[in-house]
């Protein structure tokens, strides 16, 4: 894509999300969502093949439907409260519609079917933007309407998302689909505590974005999209295999890595609100996630897969791929646990 | 406590920056020095704990285990030298770093004063162990072994996290020193029963309890020698230590909740001892014997009498040293014939008489010969379980007999009789191996002179 066009499109994506996060008028929020969606379609279609076109079409259809549902919820709220300000949603029907619309945008179960298919059809870079940046806008709206969300609905969606994300990822060898199911699971964890303590949702979102960015960048270094191509990495970049190992363990939520922080905090908040079975169930189902991350690390870092050459290691040229900010990203994705007392800055 | 933790952390730069021919020497020497420092903690004032900081403390329950952990690191390094000799330098350094990292987490676990801190480090010990087993094990089964190890432990410990957070909510703090004064008896209700189960299952899986022990033979057999040593000696004791800490919070439910686990342990120790009699794989035999000894510890911790706690502590330390020594002996066999089958290398007494002496002493301590601390542990546990219920003496007696049977079976198969023909040209014992066995045996024998220091908090 020509640089001027790419700059304009990226700027529109960012401006769209900014407008969503910073407005208090519902119409402007809807405008922000539409800007964001329309601008990301060319990004999804960077590689012009039928798979990418199918992915962008699916993305467009689901996001447009969700925006319309959101608008419907906004209109019902306007009808019952007479104002466009995003503070308290007075009508439960409007609240349910908005929640449904936003969870459709996020890819929570039962609206999760588009996530693996869209993520698979696009390039790694577009997938990265899709799974990280695109989650910020809906999450910020959920944060703002969190006092009025129906807890039962969202908790049910969260629980089923964690289950679906765990079980769906078990049979996958394509890395983008694995990251899609990982995204569904993490969105489930985030949705579970929005109504109880939205600050923990922000914590989880931040850490999830950091970890997903690091993972995608490591995949992009090797341009690997399947488990098989990832397993050749020990031959080319042995250091990256160790990075993938700790990053995958962090995504799975193992202490003492920073992926454990959101799980710990979320379980703490849920137990404070007298829910014991749900966090236990979520924690145990998250083990399914850990299983397929661990399987990835088995083929990448912990065994030496048969490779295509006869030498111990390939000739090592200098890295020419741009891995922006990779060291700080990896460090924050794995070593933040001792800084957990600093959570108070998120308030 | 920082005087142990910071030197252990600094062992990692020591590994990475030493000259290639000095990595083993440097790390082993400094590891031994660190273990000397930890011995100071064994001098405990009565009825009190040493509180060096807000986050760490040590009392007579954790100090012996701390000393065992720090003592074991140089021994693990000595044992690993041979099988890593052919690896590239970076991988050697990675292996040593994994061992040091595991040591660090274990030190912090045994001295943690807050239960969530303990939990995080308890889980953190899983990661280096997983990497050691899966990356440096020798057979294809190691992948499965790593999976079983990780997931069995995690399935047990995630409910523990929820239970700890729940207890934190209604007690106000989980700092172990403060909870001692705030304990109230837990009323009997269904939710408290689940709380008891959630708290204990993590440690039951770790010990392991007989029905949940499937991960142990896999993990012990597939791990390289350092992995087997640390698994058998220290990681199993994490379960025992955790159980001893958390049962203080769970009275009086333990009185009746303990019955199923007591029965599983009592029956399980006989079962696993009997399986040992039919094993062909040497490491598998030692692994099952670990399950059997740990079942005794579970029985002791669940009875909750002063003598049983003393017996549990002594048994944990004794079994740690004995089991680790047996794994080192098995490894010395493995390194020569590259097979774990017992009958392949018979009659070693003719070829390696000094090693046969170590085999004899290790087998004798394994079957709890007086006056070793193994006997003190087992005897205290047997006596306290007799006072709990008279019939258990039958089961304990049968267990002691079968333990003696398989220990002698192992000794006789590997050492006595005519040697098999193909082992005539094995290398003689290295000084390193003899030093390793001595360093295992010496604490064991010296402790029988003064077992007071390992008898735990009730003494």
């Amino acid at each position: 894509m020509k640089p001027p066009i790419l700059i304009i499109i990226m700027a529109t994506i960012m401006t769209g999300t900014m407008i969503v996060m910073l407005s208090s008028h519902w119409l402007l929020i809807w405008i922000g969502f539409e800007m964001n969606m329309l601008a990301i379609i060319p990004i999804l279609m960077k590689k012009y093949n039928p798979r990418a076109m199918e992915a962008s079409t699916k993305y467009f259809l689901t996001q447009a439907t969700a925006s319309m549902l959101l608008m419907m919820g906004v209109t019902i709220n306007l009808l019952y409260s007479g104002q466009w300000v995003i503070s308290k949603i007075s009508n439960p029907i409007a609240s349910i519609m908005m929640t449904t619309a936003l969870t459709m945008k996020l890819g929570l179960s039962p609206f999760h079917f588009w996530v693996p298919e869209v993520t698979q059809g696009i390039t790694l870079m577009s997938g990265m933007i899709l799974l990280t940046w695109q989650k910020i806008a809906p999450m910020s709206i959920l944060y703002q309407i969190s006092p009025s969300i129906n807890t039962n609905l969202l908790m049910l969606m969260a629980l089923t998302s964690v289950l679906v994300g765990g079980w769906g990822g078990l049979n996958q060898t394509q890395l983008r689909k694995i990251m899609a199911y990982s995204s569904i699971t993490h969105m489930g964890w985030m949705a579970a505590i929005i109504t109880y303590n939205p600050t923990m949702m922000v914590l989880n979102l931040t850490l999830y974005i950091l970890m997903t960015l690091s993972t995608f960048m490591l995949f992009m270094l090797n341009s690997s999209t399947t488990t098989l191509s990832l397993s050749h990495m020990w031959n080319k970049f042995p250091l990256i295999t160790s990075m993938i190992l700790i990053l995958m363990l962090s995504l799975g939520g193992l202490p003492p890595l920073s992926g454990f922080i959101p799980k710990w905090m979320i379980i703490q908040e849920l137990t404070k609100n007298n829910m014991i079975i749900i966090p236990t169930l979520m924690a145990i189902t998250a083990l399914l996630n850990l299983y397929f991350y661990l399987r990835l690390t088995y083929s990448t870092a912990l065994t030496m897969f048969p490779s295509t050459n006869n030498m111990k290691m390939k000739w090592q040229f200098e890295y020419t791929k741009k891995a922006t900010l990779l060291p700080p990203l990896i460090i924050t994705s794995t070593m933040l646990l001792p800084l957990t007392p600093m959570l108070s800055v998120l308030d | 406590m920082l005087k142990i933790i910071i030197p252990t952390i600094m062992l990692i730069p020591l590994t990475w920056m030493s000259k290639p021919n000095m990595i083993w020497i440097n790390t082993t020497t400094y590891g031994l020095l660190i273990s000397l420092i930890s011995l100071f903690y064994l001098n405990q004032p009565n009825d009190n704990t040493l509180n060096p900081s807000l986050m760490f403390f040590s009392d007579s329950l954790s100090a012996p285990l701390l000393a065992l952990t720090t003592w074991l690191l140089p021994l693990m390094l000595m044992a690993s030298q041979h099988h890593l000799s052919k690896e590239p330098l970076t991988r050697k350094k990675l292996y040593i770093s994994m061992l040091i990292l595991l040591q660090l987490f274990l030190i912090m676990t045994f001295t943690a004063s807050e239960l969530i801190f303990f939990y995080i480090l308890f889980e953190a010990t899983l990661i280096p162990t997983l990497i050691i087993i899966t990356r440096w094990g020798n057979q294809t089964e190691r992948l499965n072994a790593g999976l079983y190890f990780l997931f069995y432990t995690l399935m047990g410990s995630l409910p523990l996290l929820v239970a700890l957070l729940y207890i934190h909510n209604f007690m106000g703090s989980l700092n172990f020193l403060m909870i001692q004064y705030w304990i109230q008896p837990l009323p009997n209700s269904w939710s408290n029963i689940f709380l008891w189960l959630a708290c204990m299952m993590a440690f039951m899986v770790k010990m392991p309890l007989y029905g949940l022990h499937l991960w142990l033979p896999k993990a012990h057999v597939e791990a390289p020698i350092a992995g087997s040593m640390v698994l058998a000696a220290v990681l199993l004791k994490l379960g025992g230590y955790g159980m001893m800490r958390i049962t203080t919070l769970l009275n009086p439910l333990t009185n009746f909740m303990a019955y199923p686990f007591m029965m599983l342990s009592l029956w399980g120790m006989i079962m696993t001892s009997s399986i040992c009699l039919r094993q062909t794989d040497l490491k598998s035999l030692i692994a099952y014997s670990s399950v059997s000894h740990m079942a005794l510890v579970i029985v002791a911790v669940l009875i909750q009498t002063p003598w049983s706690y003393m017996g549990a502590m002594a048994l944990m330390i004794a079994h740690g040293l004995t089991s680790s020594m047996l794994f080192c002996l098995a490894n010395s066999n493995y390194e020569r014939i590259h097979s774990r089958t017992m009958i392949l290398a018979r009659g070693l007494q003719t070829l390696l008489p000094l090693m046969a002496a170590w085999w004899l002493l290790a087998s004798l301590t394994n079957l709890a010969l007086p006056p070793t601390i193994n006997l003190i542990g087992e005897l205290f546990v047997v006596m306290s379980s007799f006072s709990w219920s008279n019939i258990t003496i039958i089961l304990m007696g049968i267990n002691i007999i079968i333990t003696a049977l398989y220990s002698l079976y192992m000794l006789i198969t590997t050492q006595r009789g005519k040697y098999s023909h193909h082992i005539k040209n094995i290398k003689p014992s290295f000084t390193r191996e003899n030093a390793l066995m001595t360093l295992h045996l010496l604490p064991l024998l010296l402790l029988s002179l003064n077992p007071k220091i390992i008898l735990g908090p009730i003494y």
Side-chain angles (χ1 to χ4, degrees):
Chain A
M1 209 181 280
K2 288 203 194 129
I5 304 182
L6 187 62
I7 293 179
I8 295 180
I9 292 181
M10 283 292 184
T12 319
I13 295 176
M14 299 206 180
T15 321
T17 311
M18 287 294 151
I19 291 180
V20 169
M21 290 205 291
L22 299 172
S23 336
S24 48
H25 194 279
W26 271 116
L27 190 64
L28 227 60
I29 291 173
W30 176 78
I31 289 177
F33 271 126
E34 298 302 309
M35 257 170 75
N36 192 9
M37 172 184 68
L38 288 174
I40 206 174
I41 301 291
I43 299 285
L44 297 185
M45 282 179 47
K46 243 195 250 180
K47 275 220 157 81
Y48 198 62
N49 53 26
R51 193 73 184 271
M53 283 172 18
E54 174 191 344
S56 342
T57 320
K58 281 184 184 155
Y59 186 72
F60 175 77
L61 286 174
T62 47
Q63 300 285 313
T65 316
S67 295
M68 280 299 108
L69 261 179
L70 186 65
M71 209 55 199
M72 175 83 174
V74 167
T75 321
I76 296 180
N77 185 33
L78 176 64
L79 213 57
Y80 278 89
S81 66
Q83 39 104 9
W84 288 92
V85 179
I86 182 178
S87 52
K88 193 163 154 46
I89 315 294
S90 38
N91 192 8
I93 301 180
S95 158
I96 291 181
M97 289 209 106
M98 288 179 198
T99 316
T100 322
L102 290 167
T103 51
M104 212 187 285
K105 278 191 181 290
L106 282 175
L108 277 174
S109 164
F111 310 115
H112 63 278
F113 293 97
W114 61 270
V115 187
E117 296 163 10
V118 172
T119 324
Q120 182 60 28
I122 54 185
T123 57
L124 276 172
M125 172 71 94
S126 316
M128 185 168 81
I129 299 180
L130 179 75
L131 288 182
T132 52
W133 185 259
Q134 295 297 93
K135 309 288 179 194
I136 296 183
M139 276 297 177
S140 71
I141 302 299
L142 275 174
Y143 183 96
Q144 287 174 338
I145 63 171
S146 62
S148 356
I149 299 181
N150 185 358
T151 313
N152 295 332
L153 176 67
L154 205 54
M155 189 59 77
L156 188 65
M157 282 188 180
L159 203 53
T160 46
S161 300
V162 176
L163 286 166
V164 161
W167 261 300
L170 281 182
N171 201 21
Q172 305 297 338
T173 54
Q174 295 287 328
L175 294 176
R176 288 169 288 179
K177 280 215 172 104
I178 287 181
M179 295 312 291
Y181 282 106
S182 140
S183 139
I184 297 176
T185 316
H186 284 270
M187 292 299 134
W189 278 90
M190 286 183 231
I193 38 122
I194 285 187
T195 48
Y196 297 106
N197 191 350
T199 316
M200 297 307 158
M201 185 270 286
V202 175
L203 167 74
N204 199 354
L205 185 64
T206 320
L207 280 168
Y208 165 71
I209 289 180
L210 287 172
M211 292 190 288
T212 313
L213 278 176
S214 322
T215 323
F216 267 104
M217 276 203 215
L218 287 175
F219 292 162
M220 284 197 287
L221 260 179
N222 206 17
S223 303
S224 49
T225 52
T226 63
T227 316
L228 185 63
S229 56
L230 201 62
S231 67
H232 291 316
M233 243 198 226
W234 68 268
N235 214 353
K236 294 182 216 152
F237 309 120
L239 185 58
I240 306 284
T241 59
S242 325
M243 296 291 120
I244 289 193
L245 173 64
I246 38 178
L247 210 46
M248 285 291 141
L249 292 177
S250 184
L251 263 178
L254 271 188
L257 304 167
S258 29
F260 178 65
I261 303 177
K263 293 203 164 45
W264 172 19
M265 290 294 125
I266 290 178
I267 295 182
Q268 187 171 27
E269 290 302 316
L270 286 175
T271 49
K272 274 189 200 164
N273 282 293
N274 281 325
M275 315 184 75
I276 309 289
I277 301 185
I278 291 184
T280 320
L281 206 59
M282 279 167 61
I284 295 189
T285 324
L287 283 181
L288 286 168
N289 255 309
L290 181 64
Y291 176 67
F292 57 79
Y293 297 142
L294 202 64
R295 214 170 36 186
L296 266 186
T297 64
Y298 270 17
S299 62
T300 317
L302 294 173
T303 56
M304 293 205 273
F305 252 51
S307 80
T308 49
N309 62 342
N310 297 326
M311 307 182 294
K312 280 256 161 67
M313 209 172 289
K314 283 205 173 122
W315 186 259
Q316 294 208 343
F317 296 101
E318 283 197 13
Y319 288 11
T320 51
K321 277 238 160 78
K322 237 189 285 185
T324 333
L325 283 181
L326 192 59
L329 274 177
I330 292 185
I331 293 191
T332 47
S333 321
T334 52
M335 299 205 212
L336 269 186
L337 191 71
L339 289 180
T340 318
M342 278 183 59
L343 267 185
S344 43
V345 304
L346 279 174
D347 269 325
Chain B
M1 200 48 64
L2 273 183
K3 58 179 172 284
I4 302 187
I5 293 180
I6 299 235
T8 315
I9 297 178
M10 294 311 283
L11 276 178
I12 301 184
L14 177 69
T15 337
W16 284 94
M17 296 204 236
S18 299
K19 284 196 282 222
N21 56 350
M22 290 291 284
I23 41 173
W24 296 108
I25 303 176
N26 278 343
T27 42
T28 318
T29 321
Y30 285 104
L32 279 169
L33 283 174
I34 294 177
S35 69
L36 269 181
I37 305 179
S38 73
L39 287 178
F40 281 106
Y41 286 97
L42 284 173
N43 178 23
Q44 297 277 340
N46 283 334
D47 283 346
N48 215 340
T49 65
L50 292 176
N51 294 326
S53 88
L54 290 174
M55 291 185 299
F56 298 111
F57 83 119
S58 85
D59 72 345
S60 26
L61 177 53
S62 57
L65 289 166
L66 182 66
L68 180 65
T69 315
T70 47
W71 183 244
L72 224 71
L73 177 69
L75 267 53
M76 286 196 278
L77 290 169
M78 284 205 286
S80 317
Q81 277 185 22
H82 183 97
H83 77 88
L84 284 180
S85 53
K86 299 233 172 37
E87 295 230 359
L89 187 63
T90 318
R91 275 188 222 142
K92 275 192 231 183
K93 291 183 177 174
L94 264 176
Y95 189 80
I96 300 178
S97 317
M98 283 295 124
L99 286 179
I100 297 173
L101 201 59
L102 181 59
Q103 160 90 329
L104 178 69
F105 288 144
L106 282 169
I107 291 175
M108 293 209 278
T109 318
F110 282 125
T111 52
S113 62
E114 217 241 336
L115 278 172
I116 299 266
F117 190 38
F118 168 75
Y119 173 81
I120 292 180
L121 292 163
F122 177 77
E123 300 287 301
T125 58
L126 293 175
I127 299 183
T129 321
L130 174 76
I131 297 179
I132 293 176
I133 297 179
T134 337
R135 175 68 183 80
W136 277 281
N138 277 321
Q139 282 80 25
T140 21
E141 288 85 12
R142 70 187 197 270
L143 303 173
N144 220 9
L147 271 175
Y148 266 69
F149 168 64
L150 191 68
F151 281 94
Y152 263 66
T153 320
L154 280 176
M155 279 289 281
S157 58
L158 282 170
L160 174 65
L161 177 63
V162 181
L164 282 178
L165 288 169
Y166 174 75
I167 296 178
H168 184 106
N169 276 334
F170 85 71
M171 264 213 197
S173 152
L174 276 178
N175 195 331
F176 186 69
L177 302 165
M178 291 203 269
I179 284 190
Q180 290 172 340
Y181 301 108
W182 293 343
I183 300 175
Q184 293 166 350
L186 268 184
N188 182 9
S189 68
W190 271 109
S191 48
N192 279 338
I193 290 182
F194 280 111
L195 180 71
W196 192 97
L197 276 176
C199 287
M200 297 293 271
M201 286 319 283
F203 304 117
M204 294 289 183
V205 172
K206 199 81 176 167
M207 286 295 281
L209 182 66
Y210 174 59
L212 303 162
H213 68 290
L214 216 50
W215 64 270
L216 187 123
K218 288 187 164 49
H220 274 108
V221 165
E222 301 303 329
I225 177 60
S228 290
M229 282 168 76
V230 75
L231 262 175
V234 190
L235 286 177
L236 299 188
K237 317 304 181 271
L238 267 181
Y241 174 75
M243 264 210 281
M244 284 196 195
R245 287 277 185 231
I246 212 156
T247 41
T248 53
L249 298 172
L250 298 172
N251 286 317
L253 272 118
T254 320
N255 293 339
F256 57 90
M257 282 303 293
Y259 280 109
F261 301 101
M262 291 280 297
M263 287 191 278
L264 271 176
S265 303
L266 286 169
W267 187 237
M269 71 186 178
I270 299 182
M271 279 288 106
T272 44
S273 308
S274 320
I275 293 179
C276 283
L277 284 172
R278 299 290 295 164
Q279 285 294 327
T280 53
D281 185 340
L282 188 54
K283 272 178 109 165
S284 187
L285 194 153
I286 306 172
Y288 276 109
S289 102
S290 285
V291 180
S292 169
H293 286 269
M294 284 296 113
L296 273 172
V297 176
I298 295 182
V299 167
V301 174
L302 287 176
I303 298 181
Q304 291 186 307
T305 67
W307 273 41
S308 76
Y309 265 39
M310 287 200 276
M313 267 308 295
L315 197 51
M316 284 204 283
I317 302 290
H319 173 258
L321 288 167
T322 312
S323 207
S324 173
M325 184 169 177
L326 283 170
F327 274 116
C328 288
L329 289 166
N331 185 52
S332 73
N333 256 5
Y334 181 82
E335 280 170 4
R336 286 173 172 77
I337 61 176
H338 284 289
S339 162
R340 297 192 302 259
T341 318
M342 263 195 297
I343 54 175
L344 275 187
R346 299 190 297 272
L348 285 174
Q349 188 168 12
T350 338
L351 298 165
L352 306 171
L354 186 54
M355 201 50 84
W358 304 133
W359 271 102
L360 177 70
L361 286 171
S363 303
L364 289 178
T365 50
N366 196 21
L367 55 91
L369 192 75
T372 59
I373 43 177
N374 300 51
L375 176 80
I376 294 179
E378 280 200 30
L379 202 60
F380 279 21
V381 174
V382 169
M383 285 194 283
S384 47
S385 78
F386 179 65
S387 85
W388 178 74
S389 155
N390 291 2
I391 306 182
T392 54
I393 192 110
I394 306 176
L395 298 166
M396 294 278 181
I398 297 180
N399 184 41
I400 294 185
I401 297 179
I402 305 185
T403 310
L405 278 175
Y406 71 70
S407 302
L408 290 175
Y409 167 62
M410 179 173 63
L411 180 69
I412 294 177
T413 318
T414 49
Q415 304 302 118
R416 310 290 163 123
K418 186 156 166 51
Y419 51 82
S420 36
H421 287 287
H422 56 90
I423 58 168
K424 273 191 271 210
N425 53 357
I426 54 175
K427 295 200 178 91
S429 317
F430 297 107
T431 314
R432 174 184 57 85
E433 291 173 347
N434 287 329
L436 194 57
M437 307 308 160
T438 323
L439 285 176
H440 271 113
L441 206 51
L442 221 51
L444 208 52
L445 296 178
L446 285 175
L447 275 174
S448 52
L449 294 175
N450 186 11
K452 178 175 69 170
I453 44 183
I454 53 160
L455 281 180
I458 314 286
Y459 187 82

